[in-house]
Amino acid sequence: MFLPKYPANPTPPPAHSHTTVDPAPVQRTAPQISVSTGAVAAVLVGGVVLTALLAAVAVTAISVAVAAVVLRSMLRDQHRR
């Protein structure tokens, strides 16, 4: 009663099914990003300010280096006398 019934000539199902139908590509929508002109202006102003600060630091470092070289040469001349 509980014994399984097997078919007389079993044929195994194919291991791989070869389909030639290409699936439709999945189109993903990118999230909408709205950029206002105020935000663009703020980024540009921030970039200009940071560039100016970097230039000011570079000019200050060069002037301090030149002053140190001049003072060193002046003090060297004082010690030679």
Side-chain angles (χ1 to χ4, degrees):
M1 180 174 159
F2 294 109
L3 294 175
K5 294 180 182 179
Y6 296 109
N9 188 4
T11 57
H16 299 288
S17 61
H18 297 288
T19 58
T20 59
V21 178
D22 291 334
V26 178
Q27 294 181 353
R28 295 188 180 113
T29 59
Q32 294 287 335
I33 300 173
S34 65
V35 180
S36 65
T37 55
V40 173
V43 169
L44 288 176
V45 169
V48 169
V49 168
L50 288 175
T51 304
L53 287 173
L54 182 64
V57 168
V59 168
T60 303
I62 291 171
S63 65
V64 167
V66 168
V69 169
V70 169
L71 283 174
R72 185 176 175 187
S73 67
M74 288 173 61
L75 289 175
R76 191 175 9 166
D77 288 343
Q78 288 288 335
H79 288 293
R80 288 185 181 175
R81 291 184 186 180

Short mmCIF file of all heavy atoms in Angstrom, two decimals:
data_model
loop_
_atom_site.label_atom_id
_atom_site.label_comp_id
_atom_site.label_asym_id
_atom_site.label_seq_id
_atom_site.Cartn_x
_atom_site.Cartn_y
_atom_site.Cartn_z
N MET A 1 0.81 -1.18 0.00
CA MET A 1 0.00 0.00 0.00
C MET A 1 0.86 1.26 0.00
O MET A 1 0.56 2.21 -0.74
CB MET A 1 -0.91 -0.06 1.23
CG MET A 1 -1.81 1.11 1.37
SD MET A 1 -2.90 0.78 2.74
CE MET A 1 -3.37 2.37 3.11
N PHE A 2 1.90 1.31 0.81
CA PHE A 2 2.75 2.49 0.87
C PHE A 2 3.98 2.38 -0.02
O PHE A 2 4.88 3.19 0.08
CB PHE A 2 3.18 2.75 2.32
CG PHE A 2 2.04 3.14 3.20
CD1 PHE A 2 1.58 2.27 4.17
CD2 PHE A 2 1.43 4.37 3.07
CE1 PHE A 2 0.54 2.62 4.99
CE2 PHE A 2 0.39 4.73 3.89
CZ PHE A 2 -0.07 3.85 4.87
N LEU A 3 4.06 1.40 -0.88
CA LEU A 3 5.19 1.24 -1.76
C LEU A 3 5.04 2.17 -2.96
O LEU A 3 3.95 2.31 -3.52
CB LEU A 3 5.30 -0.22 -2.23
CG LEU A 3 5.61 -1.23 -1.13
CD1 LEU A 3 5.56 -2.64 -1.71
CD2 LEU A 3 6.95 -0.95 -0.52
N PRO A 4 6.16 2.84 -3.38
CA PRO A 4 6.06 3.76 -4.52
C PRO A 4 5.89 2.99 -5.82
O PRO A 4 6.35 1.86 -5.95
CB PRO A 4 7.38 4.51 -4.50
CG PRO A 4 8.31 3.62 -3.79
CD PRO A 4 7.49 2.83 -2.80
N LYS A 5 5.26 3.60 -6.79
CA LYS A 5 5.07 2.98 -8.10
C LYS A 5 6.01 3.67 -9.08
O LYS A 5 5.95 4.88 -9.29
CB LYS A 5 3.62 3.15 -8.55
CG LYS A 5 2.66 2.41 -7.68
CD LYS A 5 1.25 2.61 -8.15
CE LYS A 5 0.31 1.87 -7.21
NZ LYS A 5 -1.08 2.04 -7.62
N TYR A 6 6.91 2.87 -9.65
CA TYR A 6 7.89 3.39 -10.58
C TYR A 6 7.39 3.17 -12.01
O TYR A 6 6.74 2.16 -12.30
CB TYR A 6 9.24 2.69 -10.39
CG TYR A 6 9.87 2.95 -9.04
CD1 TYR A 6 9.93 1.95 -8.08
CD2 TYR A 6 10.39 4.20 -8.75
CE1 TYR A 6 10.49 2.19 -6.85
CE2 TYR A 6 10.96 4.44 -7.52
CZ TYR A 6 11.01 3.45 -6.57
OH TYR A 6 11.57 3.69 -5.35
N PRO A 7 7.73 4.10 -12.94
CA PRO A 7 7.33 3.86 -14.33
C PRO A 7 8.14 2.71 -14.92
O PRO A 7 9.23 2.38 -14.46
CB PRO A 7 7.62 5.17 -15.03
CG PRO A 7 8.51 5.93 -14.13
CD PRO A 7 8.33 5.40 -12.75
N ALA A 8 7.62 2.12 -15.99
CA ALA A 8 8.27 0.96 -16.59
C ALA A 8 9.59 1.33 -17.24
O ALA A 8 10.59 0.63 -17.09
CB ALA A 8 7.33 0.33 -17.62
N ASN A 9 9.68 2.45 -17.97
CA ASN A 9 10.91 2.87 -18.63
C ASN A 9 11.17 4.34 -18.26
O ASN A 9 10.79 5.24 -18.98
CB ASN A 9 10.77 2.70 -20.14
CG ASN A 9 12.09 2.93 -20.84
OD1 ASN A 9 13.10 3.14 -20.20
ND2 ASN A 9 12.07 2.85 -22.15
N PRO A 10 11.86 4.56 -17.17
CA PRO A 10 12.05 5.95 -16.75
C PRO A 10 13.04 6.68 -17.65
O PRO A 10 14.08 6.15 -18.01
CB PRO A 10 12.59 5.85 -15.33
CG PRO A 10 13.22 4.52 -15.27
CD PRO A 10 12.46 3.62 -16.24
N THR A 11 12.73 7.91 -18.02
CA THR A 11 13.66 8.77 -18.77
C THR A 11 13.97 9.97 -17.89
O THR A 11 13.06 10.68 -17.45
CB THR A 11 13.03 9.24 -20.09
OG1 THR A 11 11.82 9.91 -19.80
CG2 THR A 11 12.78 8.08 -21.02
N PRO A 12 15.23 10.18 -17.62
CA PRO A 12 15.58 11.30 -16.74
C PRO A 12 15.31 12.64 -17.44
O PRO A 12 15.42 12.75 -18.66
CB PRO A 12 17.07 11.11 -16.49
CG PRO A 12 17.55 10.31 -17.64
CD PRO A 12 16.40 9.45 -18.08
N PRO A 13 14.95 13.64 -16.70
CA PRO A 13 14.74 14.96 -17.30
C PRO A 13 16.09 15.54 -17.73
O PRO A 13 17.15 15.19 -17.20
CB PRO A 13 14.13 15.79 -16.17
CG PRO A 13 14.58 15.12 -14.92
CD PRO A 13 14.70 13.65 -15.27
N PRO A 14 16.09 16.41 -18.74
CA PRO A 14 17.37 16.98 -19.18
C PRO A 14 18.01 17.82 -18.07
O PRO A 14 17.32 18.49 -17.30
CB PRO A 14 16.99 17.86 -20.37
CG PRO A 14 15.53 18.11 -20.23
CD PRO A 14 14.96 16.93 -19.49
N ALA A 15 19.34 17.71 -17.99
CA ALA A 15 20.07 18.41 -16.93
C ALA A 15 20.08 19.92 -17.17
O ALA A 15 19.97 20.71 -16.23
CB ALA A 15 21.49 17.89 -16.84
N HIS A 16 20.24 20.34 -18.43
CA HIS A 16 20.28 21.77 -18.76
C HIS A 16 19.26 22.03 -19.86
O HIS A 16 19.20 21.32 -20.86
CB HIS A 16 21.67 22.17 -19.27
CG HIS A 16 22.74 21.94 -18.26
ND1 HIS A 16 22.88 22.72 -17.15
CD2 HIS A 16 23.73 21.01 -18.18
CE1 HIS A 16 23.91 22.29 -16.44
NE2 HIS A 16 24.44 21.23 -17.05
N SER A 17 18.52 23.07 -19.67
CA SER A 17 17.60 23.46 -20.73
C SER A 17 18.21 24.63 -21.48
O SER A 17 18.59 25.65 -20.90
CB SER A 17 16.25 23.86 -20.15
OG SER A 17 16.41 24.96 -19.30
N HIS A 18 18.39 24.50 -22.76
CA HIS A 18 19.00 25.53 -23.59
C HIS A 18 17.90 26.41 -24.16
O HIS A 18 17.12 25.97 -24.99
CB HIS A 18 19.82 24.91 -24.73
CG HIS A 18 20.96 24.09 -24.24
ND1 HIS A 18 22.08 24.64 -23.69
CD2 HIS A 18 21.15 22.74 -24.18
CE1 HIS A 18 22.91 23.69 -23.32
NE2 HIS A 18 22.37 22.52 -23.61
N THR A 19 17.88 27.64 -23.70
CA THR A 19 16.89 28.59 -24.21
C THR A 19 17.61 29.65 -25.01
O THR A 19 18.67 30.14 -24.62
CB THR A 19 16.10 29.25 -23.07
OG1 THR A 19 17.03 29.90 -22.21
CG2 THR A 19 15.30 28.22 -22.29
N THR A 20 17.05 30.02 -26.12
CA THR A 20 17.68 31.03 -26.97
C THR A 20 17.03 32.40 -26.80
O THR A 20 17.43 33.35 -27.41
CB THR A 20 17.58 30.62 -28.44
OG1 THR A 20 16.20 30.46 -28.77
CG2 THR A 20 18.33 29.32 -28.70
N VAL A 21 16.03 32.49 -25.95
CA VAL A 21 15.34 33.76 -25.74
C VAL A 21 16.14 34.58 -24.74
O VAL A 21 16.42 34.14 -23.63
CB VAL A 21 13.91 33.52 -25.21
CG1 VAL A 21 13.22 34.83 -24.95
CG2 VAL A 21 13.15 32.65 -26.20
N ASP A 22 16.55 35.78 -25.16
CA ASP A 22 17.29 36.67 -24.27
C ASP A 22 16.29 37.42 -23.39
O ASP A 22 15.31 37.98 -23.89
CB ASP A 22 18.11 37.69 -25.07
CG ASP A 22 19.27 37.02 -25.80
OD1 ASP A 22 19.71 35.97 -25.32
OD2 ASP A 22 19.70 37.57 -26.83
N PRO A 23 16.56 37.45 -22.10
CA PRO A 23 15.64 38.20 -21.24
C PRO A 23 15.82 39.70 -21.49
O PRO A 23 16.88 40.17 -21.88
CB PRO A 23 16.08 37.82 -19.83
CG PRO A 23 17.50 37.39 -19.98
CD PRO A 23 17.61 36.80 -21.35
N ALA A 24 14.78 40.44 -21.28
CA ALA A 24 14.83 41.89 -21.47
C ALA A 24 15.74 42.50 -20.42
O ALA A 24 15.73 42.09 -19.25
CB ALA A 24 13.43 42.48 -21.36
N PRO A 25 16.58 43.46 -20.81
CA PRO A 25 17.48 44.07 -19.82
C PRO A 25 16.68 44.84 -18.77
O PRO A 25 15.66 45.46 -19.07
CB PRO A 25 18.34 45.02 -20.65
CG PRO A 25 17.55 45.27 -21.88
CD PRO A 25 16.73 44.05 -22.13
N VAL A 26 17.17 44.76 -17.56
CA VAL A 26 16.50 45.44 -16.46
C VAL A 26 16.95 46.89 -16.46
O VAL A 26 18.15 47.19 -16.40
CB VAL A 26 16.84 44.76 -15.11
CG1 VAL A 26 16.20 45.50 -13.97
CG2 VAL A 26 16.43 43.31 -15.14
N GLN A 27 15.99 47.79 -16.54
CA GLN A 27 16.33 49.22 -16.52
C GLN A 27 16.10 49.75 -15.13
O GLN A 27 15.00 49.72 -14.61
CB GLN A 27 15.47 49.98 -17.53
CG GLN A 27 15.76 49.59 -18.96
CD GLN A 27 14.90 50.38 -19.92
OE1 GLN A 27 14.03 51.12 -19.52
NE2 GLN A 27 15.17 50.21 -21.20
N ARG A 28 17.17 50.22 -14.56
CA ARG A 28 17.09 50.80 -13.22
C ARG A 28 17.08 52.31 -13.35
O ARG A 28 17.87 52.89 -14.09
CB ARG A 28 18.28 50.36 -12.37
CG ARG A 28 18.29 48.88 -12.12
CD ARG A 28 19.37 48.51 -11.12
NE ARG A 28 19.35 47.08 -10.88
CZ ARG A 28 20.32 46.27 -11.24
NH1 ARG A 28 21.40 46.73 -11.82
NH2 ARG A 28 20.23 44.98 -10.98
N THR A 29 16.21 52.92 -12.63
CA THR A 29 16.12 54.37 -12.70
C THR A 29 17.00 54.97 -11.61
O THR A 29 16.98 54.52 -10.46
CB THR A 29 14.68 54.84 -12.52
OG1 THR A 29 14.20 54.38 -11.25
CG2 THR A 29 13.78 54.31 -13.62
N ALA A 30 17.79 55.96 -11.99
CA ALA A 30 18.64 56.65 -11.02
C ALA A 30 17.78 57.63 -10.23
O ALA A 30 16.83 58.20 -10.76
CB ALA A 30 19.76 57.39 -11.73
N PRO A 31 18.11 57.84 -8.97
CA PRO A 31 17.32 58.80 -8.19
C PRO A 31 17.54 60.21 -8.73
O PRO A 31 18.63 60.58 -9.16
CB PRO A 31 17.88 58.66 -6.77
CG PRO A 31 19.22 58.04 -6.94
CD PRO A 31 19.16 57.20 -8.18
N GLN A 32 16.48 60.97 -8.71
CA GLN A 32 16.55 62.35 -9.20
C GLN A 32 17.25 63.21 -8.16
O GLN A 32 16.90 63.22 -6.99
CB GLN A 32 15.13 62.89 -9.43
CG GLN A 32 14.40 62.19 -10.55
CD GLN A 32 14.95 62.57 -11.91
OE1 GLN A 32 15.53 63.64 -12.07
NE2 GLN A 32 14.78 61.70 -12.88
N ILE A 33 18.28 63.92 -8.61
CA ILE A 33 19.02 64.83 -7.75
C ILE A 33 18.88 66.22 -8.34
O ILE A 33 19.28 66.46 -9.48
CB ILE A 33 20.51 64.44 -7.65
CG1 ILE A 33 20.64 63.05 -7.06
CG2 ILE A 33 21.27 65.45 -6.81
CD1 ILE A 33 22.05 62.51 -7.08
N SER A 34 18.30 67.11 -7.58
CA SER A 34 18.17 68.47 -8.09
C SER A 34 19.19 69.35 -7.38
O SER A 34 19.30 69.36 -6.16
CB SER A 34 16.76 69.01 -7.83
OG SER A 34 16.52 69.12 -6.45
N VAL A 35 19.97 70.05 -8.17
CA VAL A 35 21.01 70.92 -7.65
C VAL A 35 20.58 72.35 -7.94
O VAL A 35 20.36 72.71 -9.09
CB VAL A 35 22.37 70.61 -8.31
CG1 VAL A 35 23.44 71.53 -7.77
CG2 VAL A 35 22.75 69.17 -8.09
N SER A 36 20.48 73.13 -6.89
CA SER A 36 20.07 74.50 -7.08
C SER A 36 21.27 75.38 -7.41
O SER A 36 22.43 75.01 -7.19
CB SER A 36 19.38 75.02 -5.82
OG SER A 36 20.30 75.08 -4.75
N THR A 37 21.01 76.55 -7.93
CA THR A 37 22.10 77.46 -8.28
C THR A 37 22.79 77.99 -7.03
O THR A 37 23.98 78.29 -7.06
CB THR A 37 21.56 78.64 -9.11
OG1 THR A 37 20.51 79.27 -8.39
CG2 THR A 37 21.03 78.15 -10.45
N GLY A 38 22.06 78.07 -5.93
CA GLY A 38 22.67 78.51 -4.68
C GLY A 38 23.72 77.53 -4.19
O GLY A 38 24.77 77.92 -3.68
N ALA A 39 23.44 76.24 -4.35
CA ALA A 39 24.40 75.22 -3.92
C ALA A 39 25.65 75.27 -4.79
O ALA A 39 26.78 75.15 -4.29
CB ALA A 39 23.77 73.84 -3.98
N VAL A 40 25.47 75.44 -6.10
CA VAL A 40 26.61 75.55 -7.00
C VAL A 40 27.44 76.77 -6.66
O VAL A 40 28.68 76.72 -6.61
CB VAL A 40 26.13 75.58 -8.47
CG1 VAL A 40 27.29 75.87 -9.40
CG2 VAL A 40 25.46 74.28 -8.83
N ALA A 41 26.78 77.89 -6.39
CA ALA A 41 27.50 79.12 -6.03
C ALA A 41 28.26 78.94 -4.72
O ALA A 41 29.40 79.40 -4.59
CB ALA A 41 26.52 80.28 -5.93
N ALA A 42 27.65 78.26 -3.76
CA ALA A 42 28.32 78.04 -2.47
C ALA A 42 29.56 77.18 -2.65
O ALA A 42 30.61 77.44 -2.04
CB ALA A 42 27.35 77.39 -1.49
N VAL A 43 29.48 76.15 -3.48
CA VAL A 43 30.64 75.30 -3.72
C VAL A 43 31.74 76.08 -4.42
O VAL A 43 32.94 75.96 -4.08
CB VAL A 43 30.23 74.06 -4.54
CG1 VAL A 43 31.45 73.30 -5.04
CG2 VAL A 43 29.36 73.15 -3.71
N LEU A 44 31.38 76.90 -5.40
CA LEU A 44 32.38 77.70 -6.10
C LEU A 44 33.05 78.71 -5.18
O LEU A 44 34.27 78.87 -5.20
CB LEU A 44 31.75 78.41 -7.30
CG LEU A 44 31.39 77.51 -8.48
CD1 LEU A 44 30.68 78.32 -9.56
CD2 LEU A 44 32.62 76.85 -9.04
N VAL A 45 32.25 79.38 -4.36
CA VAL A 45 32.83 80.36 -3.42
C VAL A 45 33.73 79.66 -2.41
O VAL A 45 34.83 80.14 -2.09
CB VAL A 45 31.70 81.15 -2.72
CG1 VAL A 45 32.23 81.97 -1.56
CG2 VAL A 45 31.00 82.07 -3.72
N GLY A 46 33.30 78.51 -1.93
CA GLY A 46 34.13 77.75 -0.99
C GLY A 46 35.44 77.32 -1.62
O GLY A 46 36.50 77.39 -0.99
N GLY A 47 35.40 76.91 -2.89
CA GLY A 47 36.64 76.54 -3.57
C GLY A 47 37.57 77.71 -3.76
O GLY A 47 38.79 77.59 -3.59
N VAL A 48 37.01 78.86 -4.10
CA VAL A 48 37.84 80.07 -4.27
C VAL A 48 38.47 80.47 -2.95
O VAL A 48 39.67 80.81 -2.89
CB VAL A 48 37.00 81.21 -4.88
CG1 VAL A 48 37.73 82.53 -4.81
CG2 VAL A 48 36.62 80.89 -6.31
N VAL A 49 37.69 80.43 -1.87
CA VAL A 49 38.23 80.81 -0.56
C VAL A 49 39.32 79.85 -0.12
O VAL A 49 40.38 80.28 0.37
CB VAL A 49 37.09 80.86 0.48
CG1 VAL A 49 37.63 80.97 1.89
CG2 VAL A 49 36.15 82.03 0.18
N LEU A 50 39.11 78.55 -0.31
CA LEU A 50 40.14 77.59 0.10
C LEU A 50 41.41 77.73 -0.74
O LEU A 50 42.52 77.61 -0.22
CB LEU A 50 39.60 76.16 0.00
CG LEU A 50 38.56 75.79 1.05
CD1 LEU A 50 38.02 74.40 0.79
CD2 LEU A 50 39.16 75.87 2.44
N THR A 51 41.24 78.02 -2.02
CA THR A 51 42.41 78.23 -2.88
C THR A 51 43.17 79.47 -2.46
O THR A 51 44.41 79.48 -2.43
CB THR A 51 41.97 78.34 -4.35
OG1 THR A 51 41.23 77.17 -4.69
CG2 THR A 51 43.16 78.47 -5.27
N ALA A 52 42.44 80.52 -2.12
CA ALA A 52 43.10 81.75 -1.67
C ALA A 52 43.85 81.53 -0.36
O ALA A 52 44.96 82.04 -0.17
CB ALA A 52 42.07 82.86 -1.52
N LEU A 53 43.25 80.77 0.56
CA LEU A 53 43.93 80.48 1.82
C LEU A 53 45.20 79.65 1.59
O LEU A 53 46.24 79.90 2.22
CB LEU A 53 42.99 79.74 2.77
CG LEU A 53 41.88 80.59 3.41
CD1 LEU A 53 40.93 79.69 4.19
CD2 LEU A 53 42.48 81.64 4.32
N LEU A 54 45.12 78.70 0.70
CA LEU A 54 46.30 77.89 0.39
C LEU A 54 47.40 78.74 -0.23
O LEU A 54 48.59 78.60 0.12
CB LEU A 54 45.93 76.75 -0.55
CG LEU A 54 47.05 75.79 -0.93
CD1 LEU A 54 47.55 75.06 0.30
CD2 LEU A 54 46.56 74.80 -1.96
N ALA A 55 47.03 79.65 -1.12
CA ALA A 55 48.01 80.54 -1.72
C ALA A 55 48.63 81.47 -0.67
O ALA A 55 49.83 81.73 -0.70
CB ALA A 55 47.36 81.36 -2.84
N ALA A 56 47.81 81.96 0.26
CA ALA A 56 48.33 82.83 1.32
C ALA A 56 49.33 82.08 2.21
O ALA A 56 50.38 82.63 2.59
CB ALA A 56 47.18 83.37 2.15
N VAL A 57 49.03 80.84 2.53
CA VAL A 57 49.95 80.04 3.35
C VAL A 57 51.25 79.80 2.60
O VAL A 57 52.35 79.89 3.18
CB VAL A 57 49.28 78.71 3.77
CG1 VAL A 57 50.28 77.75 4.36
CG2 VAL A 57 48.16 78.98 4.75
N ALA A 58 51.16 79.53 1.30
CA ALA A 58 52.37 79.29 0.50
C ALA A 58 53.23 80.55 0.42
O ALA A 58 54.46 80.49 0.58
CB ALA A 58 51.99 78.81 -0.89
N VAL A 59 52.61 81.71 0.19
CA VAL A 59 53.36 82.96 0.11
C VAL A 59 54.00 83.28 1.45
O VAL A 59 55.17 83.72 1.51
CB VAL A 59 52.44 84.11 -0.37
CG1 VAL A 59 53.10 85.46 -0.18
CG2 VAL A 59 52.06 83.89 -1.82
N THR A 60 53.29 83.04 2.54
CA THR A 60 53.85 83.30 3.88
C THR A 60 55.04 82.39 4.15
O THR A 60 56.07 82.83 4.68
CB THR A 60 52.76 83.07 4.94
OG1 THR A 60 51.66 83.93 4.66
CG2 THR A 60 53.28 83.38 6.33
N ALA A 61 54.93 81.13 3.78
CA ALA A 61 56.04 80.20 4.01
C ALA A 61 57.26 80.59 3.20
O ALA A 61 58.39 80.55 3.71
CB ALA A 61 55.60 78.78 3.64
N ILE A 62 57.05 81.02 1.96
CA ILE A 62 58.20 81.45 1.14
C ILE A 62 58.84 82.70 1.71
O ILE A 62 60.08 82.81 1.78
CB ILE A 62 57.74 81.67 -0.32
CG1 ILE A 62 57.39 80.33 -0.95
CG2 ILE A 62 58.81 82.37 -1.14
CD1 ILE A 62 56.72 80.43 -2.31
N SER A 63 58.02 83.67 2.16
CA SER A 63 58.59 84.90 2.71
C SER A 63 59.34 84.63 4.01
O SER A 63 60.40 85.23 4.27
CB SER A 63 57.50 85.94 2.92
OG SER A 63 56.59 85.50 3.90
N VAL A 64 58.84 83.74 4.84
CA VAL A 64 59.54 83.39 6.08
C VAL A 64 60.86 82.70 5.75
O VAL A 64 61.89 82.96 6.40
CB VAL A 64 58.65 82.51 6.98
CG1 VAL A 64 59.45 81.88 8.11
CG2 VAL A 64 57.50 83.32 7.54
N ALA A 65 60.87 81.84 4.74
CA ALA A 65 62.11 81.17 4.35
C ALA A 65 63.14 82.16 3.83
O ALA A 65 64.33 82.08 4.17
CB ALA A 65 61.82 80.10 3.29
N VAL A 66 62.69 83.12 3.02
CA VAL A 66 63.62 84.13 2.50
C VAL A 66 64.15 85.00 3.64
O VAL A 66 65.36 85.31 3.70
CB VAL A 66 62.91 84.99 1.42
CG1 VAL A 66 63.75 86.22 1.08
CG2 VAL A 66 62.64 84.16 0.19
N ALA A 67 63.28 85.39 4.58
CA ALA A 67 63.73 86.19 5.71
C ALA A 67 64.73 85.42 6.56
O ALA A 67 65.72 85.99 7.05
CB ALA A 67 62.53 86.61 6.56
N ALA A 68 64.52 84.11 6.73
CA ALA A 68 65.46 83.31 7.52
C ALA A 68 66.81 83.23 6.83
O ALA A 68 67.86 83.32 7.49
CB ALA A 68 64.88 81.91 7.72
N VAL A 69 66.83 83.10 5.51
CA VAL A 69 68.10 83.04 4.79
C VAL A 69 68.83 84.38 4.89
O VAL A 69 70.05 84.43 5.11
CB VAL A 69 67.86 82.65 3.31
CG1 VAL A 69 69.11 82.84 2.48
CG2 VAL A 69 67.39 81.21 3.23
N VAL A 70 68.09 85.49 4.77
CA VAL A 70 68.72 86.80 4.86
C VAL A 70 69.27 87.04 6.27
O VAL A 70 70.42 87.50 6.43
CB VAL A 70 67.70 87.90 4.47
CG1 VAL A 70 68.24 89.28 4.82
CG2 VAL A 70 67.37 87.81 3.00
N LEU A 71 68.49 86.72 7.29
CA LEU A 71 68.98 86.90 8.66
C LEU A 71 70.18 86.01 8.95
O LEU A 71 71.14 86.42 9.62
CB LEU A 71 67.86 86.58 9.66
CG LEU A 71 66.79 87.67 9.81
CD1 LEU A 71 65.67 87.18 10.70
CD2 LEU A 71 67.41 88.94 10.39
N ARG A 72 70.17 84.81 8.43
CA ARG A 72 71.30 83.91 8.65
C ARG A 72 72.57 84.45 8.01
O ARG A 72 73.66 84.41 8.61
CB ARG A 72 70.96 82.54 8.07
CG ARG A 72 71.99 81.49 8.33
CD ARG A 72 71.51 80.16 7.80
NE ARG A 72 72.54 79.15 7.96
CZ ARG A 72 72.48 77.95 7.48
NH1 ARG A 72 71.40 77.55 6.83
NH2 ARG A 72 73.45 77.09 7.66
N SER A 73 72.42 84.98 6.78
CA SER A 73 73.61 85.53 6.14
C SER A 73 74.10 86.78 6.86
O SER A 73 75.31 87.01 6.95
CB SER A 73 73.32 85.84 4.67
OG SER A 73 72.39 86.90 4.57
N MET A 74 73.17 87.59 7.38
CA MET A 74 73.59 88.78 8.12
C MET A 74 74.28 88.41 9.42
O MET A 74 75.29 89.01 9.79
CB MET A 74 72.37 89.67 8.42
CG MET A 74 71.83 90.37 7.19
SD MET A 74 70.29 91.26 7.49
CE MET A 74 70.78 92.42 8.72
N LEU A 75 73.77 87.41 10.11
CA LEU A 75 74.42 86.98 11.36
C LEU A 75 75.75 86.30 11.10
O LEU A 75 76.67 86.43 11.91
CB LEU A 75 73.47 86.04 12.13
CG LEU A 75 72.23 86.69 12.74
CD1 LEU A 75 71.34 85.63 13.35
CD2 LEU A 75 72.64 87.72 13.78
N ARG A 76 75.90 85.63 10.01
CA ARG A 76 77.18 85.02 9.66
C ARG A 76 78.22 86.09 9.41
O ARG A 76 79.37 85.95 9.80
CB ARG A 76 77.01 84.12 8.44
CG ARG A 76 78.23 83.27 8.22
CD ARG A 76 78.07 82.27 7.10
NE ARG A 76 76.84 82.47 6.32
CZ ARG A 76 76.61 81.91 5.15
NH1 ARG A 76 77.50 81.10 4.64
NH2 ARG A 76 75.49 82.13 4.51
N ASP A 77 77.82 87.17 8.73
CA ASP A 77 78.75 88.27 8.49
C ASP A 77 79.15 88.94 9.82
O ASP A 77 80.28 89.38 9.97
CB ASP A 77 78.11 89.31 7.57
CG ASP A 77 78.02 88.82 6.13
OD1 ASP A 77 78.72 87.83 5.80
OD2 ASP A 77 77.24 89.42 5.36
N GLN A 78 78.24 89.00 10.77
CA GLN A 78 78.57 89.60 12.07
C GLN A 78 79.59 88.75 12.83
O GLN A 78 80.46 89.28 13.50
CB GLN A 78 77.29 89.74 12.93
CG GLN A 78 76.34 90.80 12.46
CD GLN A 78 76.87 92.20 12.74
OE1 GLN A 78 77.68 92.42 13.64
NE2 GLN A 78 76.45 93.15 11.90
N HIS A 79 79.50 87.44 12.73
CA HIS A 79 80.41 86.57 13.45
C HIS A 79 81.80 86.56 12.82
O HIS A 79 82.80 86.29 13.50
CB HIS A 79 79.88 85.13 13.50
CG HIS A 79 78.71 84.97 14.43
ND1 HIS A 79 78.80 85.12 15.79
CD2 HIS A 79 77.41 84.67 14.19
CE1 HIS A 79 77.63 84.93 16.34
NE2 HIS A 79 76.75 84.66 15.37
N ARG A 80 81.92 86.86 11.55
CA ARG A 80 83.22 86.84 10.88
C ARG A 80 84.07 88.05 11.25
O ARG A 80 85.27 88.03 11.14
CB ARG A 80 83.03 86.79 9.37
CG ARG A 80 82.55 85.45 8.89
CD ARG A 80 82.51 85.41 7.40
NE ARG A 80 82.01 84.10 6.93
CZ ARG A 80 81.77 83.80 5.70
NH1 ARG A 80 81.97 84.70 4.74
NH2 ARG A 80 81.35 82.62 5.37
N ARG A 81 83.45 89.12 11.67
CA ARG A 81 84.22 90.35 11.98
C ARG A 81 84.95 90.29 13.25
O ARG A 81 84.95 89.67 14.15
CB ARG A 81 83.28 91.55 12.01
CG ARG A 81 82.76 91.89 10.65
CD ARG A 81 81.95 93.12 10.73
NE ARG A 81 81.32 93.37 9.43
CZ ARG A 81 80.55 94.36 9.18
NH1 ARG A 81 80.26 95.24 10.12
NH2 ARG A 81 80.02 94.54 8.01
#
